[in-house]
Amino acid sequence: MKDPISTCSHKQLYQNVKHFSKSGENFCKELITVFQQRAEMEHTYAKGLRKLAGKLIRASKEMSNNSTYSAWCHVSDEMYSRADAHRSLGNAFQQEAILEIRQVLDEHTKRKRPLDSAIERNGKLVTANWSEQLKIKKKLSGITREHEALFNFVENNKHICTEKEKQKMLNRLTKSAEMQARVDEEYFNINMEGHQMRLKWENTLKNCYQIIQELEKQRIEVLCNILTRYNLNMCSFGETLKHGQRQIEQVVQRVDMDKDIQTLVKENHITAEDNKAEFLMADYFEEDSKSLMAKDRRKEAIKIKLQRLEDSITKTKKDCEGIEKLMKTYSENPSFSNQKNLEETEQQLDESALKQDLLEATHYKLSVTLSELEGKSKPFHRFRDSIVKWKDKDCEHSVVQLTRPVKLRKTPFRSRQSLRASIIYKGPAQAVTQQSVEQSATDSVSSTASTHECEAVECGSAVNGALPHTDDDKEHGQTSEFCSIGKCKALYNFTPNQDDELTLREGDLLDIYTKEENGWWFGVLNGQTGHFPSTYVEELPVLNSVKSSDA
């Protein structure tokens, strides 16, 4: 039997809008999941950011109160503000988007639940009426066929039948006509009832279609409203981040790095008077007046030790004089050395001066003991009030308190770009060590002033060869002699970040002296030596192979 409701256009329309509604419902469910995960991520990020901000503010409070660390405190405050912004954004997702979408889903599910039942119920009635019509129609056709056969039989045989038989056939014909009329009436009523059921079913489909369509319109409106609020929340979130960024920019502009460095140096400044160091002196058995050694033997032993100290003091004085002459040569001829050599030479002079003070203090202590043995008055010396004795169990120890000069290395300020560049490369390898400088300082003890000057010149030349790009060399316009290992052509413009780098212009021709593994080469351009990046140049082919010299 043919399905009476399969070809209905209203049913197909309803199925299409129902499929669209199902897709919208699935989209809303996925959207809820997305917003839930997004809200959890925002809350988690906000919690972690607040934790980091707390660590930063605690670390900053332990530092000194200057503009730099105050700026980092403001960075911590900005992190707190950003964490609050993320937390508020997560709350907005939960309270506005997720709750509203869930309410729409619940309402739509509640309103769509009875629609399918009503359509299915009315569809079953239409199908049952259809079957009943076919059954009554078949029955009516059979009864009509029998009635016509009986009618024809009566018409054909009424002239040969008796009155009694004729009356009997008429009665049968009357009953057959009555049954046919009754079945026909029933068929007509069922057919009219089927029309009504069909219309009712189609009206149900149209009503359900309109209900679902209105629900989808409502869903689209809700999604548009949520999208609008999402845009507003993101705009507000972005403005909050921009405001925090502007505050950070203002704080960074207020940072006075030079003043902070000056404050640091001032607060941690140590004068020579404050820098007193204690050194344990050499105490000999002969100095103890309670010892069992005879007086004459004590005198002889102390004199021997004094003579040894005097020889050491004389030698140390000559060392100091030689180092001072070497420093004088460096100061008169800056091209002979660099900053590192000067610092090492100053350190050697300081160590020699300390050694001389300790030797003189020990000599004075023994001289006092010898004067007591000989019955003479104590000699006057600058370390007279600096020597202190203290007892430890059964032993007595001597300590001398010396005022040490405070010499800190002065480092020039470096910009962020130069600091970054110094991390990228360290310049050419230095093949010459400072042994020649130390050897000059050692040999200067037994040599004349002219010999010191010659050694200083040789040392300065060696160091100048190892460090061709020192500041002193630039000031005097002096460059070391290198052997070119090739030529290259600049492909792009390059602006240097450090003083020992070359300025390149596209098309410049350079001589290459050395190639470093870190990507920086050393060469000369227009008589000026310096470093340049190898990625900015193209090496030109050479006809003759040139051996690289050891720089």
Side-chain angles (χ1 to χ4, degrees):
M1 184 181 68
K2 182 180 179 181
D3 188 3
I5 61 176
S6 60
T7 59
C8 181
S9 60
H10 292 85
K11 182 179 179 181
Q12 187 64 35
L13 197 62
Y14 172 75
Q15 292 296 335
N16 292 338
V17 75
K18 184 179 178 181
H19 177 74
F20 183 83
S21 177
K22 186 66 176 178
S23 300
E25 181 179 350
N26 294 335
F27 175 79
C28 288
K29 290 180 179 179
E30 290 297 327
L31 191 59
I32 288 177
T33 304
V34 170
F35 275 125
Q36 284 178 341
Q37 294 179 358
R38 176 69 183 276
E40 291 175 359
M41 291 174 61
E42 295 292 342
H43 287 154
T44 303
Y45 181 76
K47 184 177 179 181
L49 195 59
R50 289 181 64 86
K51 186 176 181 181
L52 294 178
K55 288 184 178 181
L56 181 58
I57 193 66
R58 288 192 296 271
S60 300
K61 287 182 178 179
E62 295 177 358
M63 303 305 297
S64 58
N65 186 16
N66 56 31
S67 61
T68 302
Y69 292 111
S70 298
W72 281 108
C73 290
H74 285 287
V75 171
S76 176
D77 295 336
E78 190 273 337
M79 292 173 67
Y80 274 119
S81 300
R82 181 166 296 204
D84 292 337
H86 281 280
R87 182 175 53 82
S88 301
L89 187 61
N91 292 336
F93 291 153
Q94 287 183 340
Q95 297 174 2
E96 296 180 8
I98 297 176
L99 291 179
E100 188 168 356
I101 295 175
R102 185 174 285 115
Q103 289 176 358
V104 170
L105 283 177
D106 294 341
E107 181 183 356
H108 286 194
T109 302
K110 184 178 179 181
R111 293 190 61 183
K112 288 189 297 184
R113 188 181 295 116
L115 300 182
D116 289 338
S117 299
I119 293 174
E120 183 179 2
R121 183 171 58 255
N122 291 328
K124 288 182 179 180
L125 292 177
V126 172
T127 303
N129 179 267
W130 184 286
S131 300
E132 189 67 21
Q133 286 189 59
L134 295 179
K135 183 178 179 182
I136 296 297
K137 180 181 180 180
K138 184 178 181 181
K139 181 179 178 181
L140 179 61
S141 298
I143 292 176
T144 304
R145 191 180 301 111
E146 290 178 356
H147 178 72
E148 289 299 321
L150 181 60
F151 179 80
N152 291 332
F153 178 77
V154 172
E155 287 293 327
N156 293 330
N157 296 303
K158 65 180 179 178
H159 58 280
I160 62 173
C161 296
T162 62
E163 288 295 329
K164 186 176 181 178
E165 290 176 350
K166 185 179 180 180
Q167 186 64 38
K168 188 176 181 179
M169 286 188 295
L170 290 175
N171 291 336
R172 285 182 61 188
L173 186 61
T174 302
K175 290 181 179 179
S176 177
E178 291 177 355
M179 182 177 292
Q180 182 189 11
R182 187 171 60 253
V183 174
D184 183 71
E185 182 67 22
E186 183 180 358
Y187 176 68
F188 176 78
N189 293 332
I190 290 177
N191 185 262
M192 292 295 102
E193 185 179 354
H195 293 167
Q196 293 178 357
M197 289 182 178
R198 178 77 181 195
L199 292 175
K200 183 178 179 181
W201 178 66
E202 290 182 355
N203 290 331
T204 302
L205 286 174
K206 288 190 292 184
N207 292 334
C208 294
Y209 166 78
Q210 291 177 353
I211 290 174
I212 294 180
Q213 193 176 52
E214 292 299 325
L215 293 178
E216 291 308 307
K217 290 180 181 179
Q218 180 186 5
R219 189 198 304 276
I220 293 175
E221 291 177 358
V222 171
L223 292 177
C224 289
N225 293 334
I226 292 176
L227 191 61
T228 302
R229 288 198 296 271
Y230 177 82
N231 182 42
L232 293 177
N233 289 327
M234 295 308 296
C235 290
S236 176
F237 178 75
E239 290 298 327
T240 302
L241 298 186
K242 290 180 180 179
H243 178 69
Q245 182 182 1
R246 288 193 292 268
Q247 288 184 336
I248 293 298
E249 290 178 355
Q250 295 175 0
V251 170
V252 172
Q253 292 175 358
R254 290 196 298 267
V255 172
D256 191 347
M257 182 181 58
D258 296 335
K259 183 179 179 181
D260 292 344
I261 294 176
Q262 294 175 1
T263 303
L264 173 65
V265 173
K266 183 178 180 180
E267 291 178 353
N268 297 275
H269 179 67
I270 301 177
T271 60
E273 292 75 12
D274 298 333
N275 186 26
K276 291 184 178 181
E278 292 186 350
F279 296 90
L280 186 64
M281 303 179 65
D283 292 317
Y284 299 102
F285 182 79
E286 294 84 351
E287 296 181 67
D288 188 3
S289 59
K290 297 181 181 180
S291 64
L292 300 177
M293 184 180 291
K295 187 175 182 180
D296 294 336
R297 291 186 60 200
R298 287 177 61 195
K299 289 181 182 180
E300 293 298 327
I302 290 176
K303 288 180 180 180
I304 293 174
K305 289 179 172 56
L306 286 173
Q307 184 62 41
R308 183 177 63 184
L309 288 172
E310 290 174 358
D311 295 340
S312 298
I313 291 173
T314 302
K315 183 177 181 300
T316 304
K317 286 183 178 180
K318 291 182 179 180
D319 292 343
C320 292
E321 292 175 356
I323 297 174
E324 289 175 353
K325 290 180 180 180
L326 183 61
M327 290 186 62
K328 183 179 179 181
T329 303
Y330 284 162
S331 61
E332 293 176 352
N333 301 276
S335 61
F336 289 170
S337 182
N338 54 22
Q339 184 64 28
K340 185 176 181 180
N341 286 341
L342 291 175
E343 292 177 357
E344 291 181 354
T345 306
E346 289 179 359
Q347 184 178 358
Q348 290 179 358
L349 180 61
D350 182 64
E351 292 174 356
S352 299
L354 174 62
K355 180 180 178 181
Q356 180 179 344
D357 290 343
L358 292 175
L359 291 174
E360 291 181 357
T362 306
H363 185 276
Y364 168 71
K365 183 167 69 71
L366 290 176
S367 299
V368 171
T369 303
L370 182 61
S371 299
E372 291 177 353
L373 291 175
E374 294 177 349
K376 299 179 181 179
S377 60
K378 295 181 179 181
F380 178 80
H381 198 271
R382 60 191 178 99
F383 294 126
R384 179 177 182 179
D385 299 329
S386 301
I387 299 176
V388 179
K389 294 186 177 182
W390 57 281
K391 290 185 178 181
D392 180 18
K393 295 183 179 180
D394 297 333
C395 298
E396 189 177 53
H397 306 283
S398 300
V399 175
V400 59
Q401 295 179 350
L402 299 179
T403 301
R404 302 282 297 140
V406 181
K407 294 183 178 180
L408 299 178
R409 181 180 179 183
K410 297 181 180 180
T411 56
F413 170 73
R414 306 188 67 181
S415 64
R416 295 180 181 177
Q417 293 182 348
S418 63
L419 182 60
R420 177 189 58 80
S422 66
I423 296 175
I424 295 177
Y425 74 96
K426 299 181 180 179
Q430 298 181 7
V432 179
T433 62
Q434 307 300 329
Q435 294 179 357
S436 57
V437 179
E438 297 175 358
Q439 187 65 31
S440 299
T442 305
D443 296 342
S444 63
V445 176
S446 59
S447 61
T448 62
S450 61
T451 306
H452 289 303
E453 294 177 358
C454 294
E455 290 176 346
V457 171
E458 295 175 359
C459 177
S461 301
V463 175
N464 192 28
L467 297 172
H469 55 283
T470 57
D471 296 335
D472 295 336
D473 294 340
K474 293 181 179 178
E475 292 177 359
H476 291 77
Q478 298 179 359
T479 58
S480 302
E481 295 182 359
F482 287 89
C483 181
S484 175
I485 62 174
K487 291 182 176 294
C488 61
K489 180 180 180 182
L491 299 177
Y492 317 101
N493 295 336
F494 173 73
T495 302
N497 293 324
Q498 292 197 115
D499 296 334
D500 59 346
E501 296 174 356
L502 293 177
T503 301
L504 301 183
R505 293 292 179 264
E506 183 179 356
D508 288 345
L509 295 178
L510 300 90
D511 287 329
I512 306 172
Y513 288 161
T514 58
K515 297 180 180 180
E516 299 299 325
E517 296 180 356
N518 52 24
W520 287 81
W521 292 357
F522 182 75
V524 61
L525 173 64
N526 298 329
Q528 183 179 3
T529 58
H531 294 84
F532 56 93
S534 60
T535 55
Y536 280 67
V537 298
E538 178 186 18
E539 189 172 3
L540 301 177
V542 292
L543 298 178
N544 298 325
S545 59
V546 182
K547 293 185 179 180
S548 173
S549 62
D550 293 332

